[in-house]
Amino acid sequence: MATRMRLKLKTVFVLYFMVSLMGLIYALMQLGQRCDCTEHDMPKDRIISRLRGELHSLQEQTRKLEATKQPEKNPAAPFLPTIFVITPTYARLVQKAELTRLMQTFLHVPQLHWIVVEDSPRKTALVTDLLKKSGLVYTHLHFLTAKDRKLQEGDPSWLKPRGVEQRNEGLRWLREDRRAPPGEDGQQGVVYFADDDNTYSVQLFTEMRNTQRVSVWPVGLVGGMKYERPVVEGGKVVRFHTGWRPSRPFPMDMAGFAVSLRLVLTNPEACFDGEAPMGFLESSFLKGLVTMDELEPKADDCTKVLVWHTRTEKPKMKREDALQAQGLGSDPAVEV
Amino acid sequence: MATRMRLKLKTVFVLYFMVSLMGLIYALMQLGQRCDCTEHDMPKDRIISRLRGELHSLQEQTRKLEATKQPEKNPAAPFLPTIFVITPTYARLVQKAELTRLMQTFLHVPQLHWIVVEDSPRKTALVTDLLKKSGLVYTHLHFLTAKDRKLQEGDPSWLKPRGVEQRNEGLRWLREDRRAPPGEDGQQGVVYFADDDNTYSVQLFTEMRNTQRVSVWPVGLVGGMKYERPVVEGGKVVRFHTGWRPSRPFPMDMAGFAVSLRLVLTNPEACFDGEAPMGFLESSFLKGLVTMDELEPKADDCTKVLVWHTRTEKPKMKREDALQAQGLGSDPAVEV
């Protein structure tokens, strides 16, 4: 009987032995699974680090590009004071050529806002189209100069100042559009008057960018001189190098100075006086704004010429007229 | 004794019971772990999709930037045919102004190689310095025109052609420097002659980029006309709109055509003939290279003016001279 019982116990014991083994085997299988789980993590880690790598190098690339790409799209630009360039222009054979090379210079300048003011009863298609395609930030205005104030065919260019009403119209637009909200200091900016026939180095705009009141520099090939310029001693303008009437309040060419936007906005009456005697147009605008002592000399104390008062010849149309007479002239539909 | 043994067996059986339980408990713990493993996958998937998103938008941004950034740094550029622009130049008051605005136009053109040839016994400091600072790919050459071939003070500009020797020197350099290695086809390229006083639209260079032999287009304000141009019918040049001697082989201005580099290299004798009668200089170069029938019209079948034959006035130095006489002239150390 004891033996039978022992047998019974043995089977029970064997059964339990099996169960325990199954448990252990199962446990070991689980151990295997644990490895699986970490293993099938690894590729994801690799993907992540690869993606992070690509992302980084791409960010690098973008940063470099940002630095070299076209100015008007430069995100650094919004932190620069805007340069408002006021350009009076009028219809003539070389107008499109002049505006084209001017535009191609301005495209190198960050944060430039081109204010083009036509001497015309309405905006012309030529200028409208050129500005639309330019890729520049611009404002297109027009203001017709009264006939009696306009140079007539054959008049010497010095007889009447050109572009007076157009520059004043540009100032009027700025004071209307950019006036500071009450209590605020308003937009950081600079105002420059750029005629469409001069030659401007891109460097000039870097020089004028941080004008506080009125900044000044030399102008090449102006007034019958190799250059005119303010003479600087101890960082201050003490007199002017000019070929004619140095006694004028500001014997400088229009291309030789820039004014801070704030100064333009806080002196709403300051404008160009078309009745001013010849050579006094710049003075008529500046005298209310600044004193010689306050002028800010740029371009290495006015020792570098970065703008030239170039003038483009009026093209002769001798042969055109002859062919027109025979009805063989150039197609007027072709814009020149 | 049987009872004692039964007791012993009981303890053994209990021990095994314990072991099996431990096995099962352990198994259950493992089950828990399995869940963990899938759970802590999820954030990684999120990280990956986020990174992929960032990467995509950044790639978009980069693509846009590539399109807008400065040409000479454009990595796409190396796959474009190089445009070799040969510019003859000579010392005069407006030289620096002219070269400055020309340079600022060329800076917008990808894969442009500027070949500047001075009419001078040696390279001048002014041009050397301007080119060094330009940021353009350039080659600086010089070739002095013989005195008897040069325009004298007061000569009408049409009396003798200007820049002949300098253009030929540019061609000589190209044939020496860019000749194809034996058996090879050589570099894809275009050769254009750009005087330093004309006005060039950036668009013009896109038009000439894929010149196969000789491409042509209108030139504005030239030859006493609003424009001169090849007349195109059925995609072919059939005659020329010009104010003078349309019978000339190629009645076109220097600014009105570009030649493929291959054509220049495979015709080593083609050059400009300074002895050619007035108006035949362009023909003297082109007649050996191409026939009218082979000309490739650009600029919408020669209906768009993208280059203007502008001329800059010689500045008067009346006041400068007067001041010089008094020893008060402009400082010669200041470069204008």
Side-chain angles (χ1 to χ4, degrees), chain A residues 67-104:
Chain A
T68 61
K69 75 186 211 297
Q70 282 192 4
E72 76 280 12
K73 299 196 189 69
N74 192 329
F79 308 115
L80 293 171
T82 300
I83 296 175
F84 295 93
V85 177
I86 297 177
T87 298
T89 189
Y90 64 101
R92 61 202 191 274
L93 281 165
V94 299
Q95 183 184 29
K96 192 179 182 183
E98 302 274 44
L99 292 175
T100 298
R101 57 183 164 191
L102 200 53
M103 170 196 96
Q104 291 173 170

Side-chain angles (χ1 to χ4, degrees), chain A residues 5-6 37 41 45 65, chain B residues 5-6 37 41 44 69:
Chain A
M5 186 196 273
R6 209 180 299 137
C37 155
D41 263 7
D45 288 331
L65 286 176
Chain B
M5 184 199 272
R6 206 180 300 139
C37 154
D41 264 6
K44 287 197 179 167
K69 75 187 210 302

Side-chain angles (χ1 to χ4, degrees), chain B residues 238-303:
Chain B
V238 292
R239 63 181 180 279
F240 295 87
H241 172 68
T242 171
W244 184 73
R245 292 189 69 167
S247 58
R248 289 172 290 164
F250 295 97
M252 297 190 292
D253 183 77
M254 197 65 70
F257 64 88
V259 182
S260 79
L261 179 62
R262 195 187 297 97
L263 205 60
V264 167
L265 297 179
T266 53
N267 294 270
E269 72 298 331
C271 66
F272 293 95
D273 176 7
E275 299 300 299
M278 171 201 161
F280 284 76
L281 188 64
E282 292 81 358
S283 300
S284 73
F285 173 66
L286 289 173
K287 65 183 183 339
L289 296 177
V290 73
T291 65
M292 181 165 84
D293 188 63
E294 295 171 317
L295 295 175
E296 300 148 46
K298 304 290 184 184
D300 294 354
D301 283 342
C302 299
T303 60

Side-chain angles (χ1 to χ4, degrees), chain B residues 230-234 236-240 292:
Chain B
V231 178
V232 179
E233 286 172 10
K236 294 250 173 226
V237 175
V238 292
R239 63 181 180 279
F240 295 87
M292 181 165 84

Side-chain angles (χ1 to χ4, degrees), chain A residues 68-308:
Chain A
T68 61
K69 75 186 211 297
Q70 282 192 4
E72 76 280 12
K73 299 196 189 69
N74 192 329
F79 308 115
L80 293 171
T82 300
I83 296 175
F84 295 93
V85 177
I86 297 177
T87 298
T89 189
Y90 64 101
R92 61 202 191 274
L93 281 165
V94 299
Q95 183 184 29
K96 192 179 182 183
E98 302 274 44
L99 292 175
T100 298
R101 57 183 164 191
L102 200 53
M103 170 196 96
Q104 291 173 170
T105 289
F106 291 166
L107 277 170
H108 290 295
V109 182
Q111 279 297 102
L112 183 146
H113 183 134
W114 198 13
I115 301 169
V116 178
V117 192
E118 292 192 74
D119 187 348
S120 142
R122 64 194 63 79
K123 299 178 187 179
T124 64
L126 187 148
V127 176
T128 304
D129 194 48
L130 182 132
L131 288 172
K132 217 176 263 152
K133 293 178 183 158
S134 69
L136 287 166
V137 176
Y138 68 89
T139 297
H140 186 186
L141 307 170
H142 68 95
F143 191 99
L144 182 63
T145 306
K147 193 125 187 48
D148 60 314
R149 289 194 169 197
K150 223 197 211 94
L151 278 175
Q152 301 307 317
E153 185 66 35
D155 284 351
S157 62
W158 51 260
L159 190 64
K160 286 174 191 152
R162 194 180 257 145
V164 174
E165 301 303 339
Q166 291 71 36
R167 292 187 196 94
N168 288 337
E169 178 64 14
L171 290 169
R172 194 153 37 238
W173 180 85
L174 275 172
R175 284 160 178 155
E176 182 55 35
D177 190 83
R178 300 294 156 136
R179 67 170 180 283
E184 275 182 49
D185 200 22
Q187 182 182 13
Q188 278 276 325
V190 184
V191 181
Y192 182 56
F193 301 95
D195 293 351
D196 61 5
D197 53 353
N198 292 340
T199 302
Y200 307 88
S201 153
V202 171
Q203 173 63 23
L204 177 68
F205 298 91
T206 313
E207 294 288 333
M208 74 175 72
R209 179 81 62 183
N210 292 305
T211 301
Q212 295 310 302
R213 295 178 66 80
V214 177
S215 57
V216 293
W217 50 79
V219 177
L221 312 176
V222 69
M225 306 275 293
K226 274 173 69 185
Y227 61 80
E228 286 184 344
R229 67 160 160 173
V231 178
V232 178
E233 285 171 10
K236 293 252 171 223
V237 175
V238 292
R239 63 179 179 282
F240 296 87
H241 172 68
T242 171
W244 183 73
R245 292 190 68 169
S247 59
R248 289 173 290 163
F250 295 97
M252 298 191 291
D253 183 78
M254 197 65 70
F257 64 89
V259 181
S260 78
L261 178 62
R262 196 185 297 97
L263 205 58
V264 167
L265 298 181
T266 53
N267 295 268
E269 73 299 330
C271 66
F272 293 94
D273 175 8
E275 300 300 298
M278 171 199 161
F280 283 77
L281 188 63
E282 293 81 358
S283 299
S284 74
F285 173 67
L286 288 173
K287 63 183 183 338
L289 296 178
V290 72
T291 65
M292 182 165 85
D293 188 63
E294 295 171 316
L295 294 174
E296 301 148 45
K298 303 290 184 185
D300 294 355
D301 283 342
C302 298
T303 60
K304 302 254 176 306
V305 175
L306 299 173
V307 52
W308 298 263

Side-chain angles (χ1 to χ4, degrees), chain B residues 64-84:
Chain B
K64 290 207 197 80
L65 286 177
E66 292 283 0
T68 60
K69 75 187 210 302
Q70 281 193 3
E72 75 279 14
K73 300 194 187 70
N74 192 332
F79 309 113
L80 292 172
T82 301
I83 296 175
F84 296 93

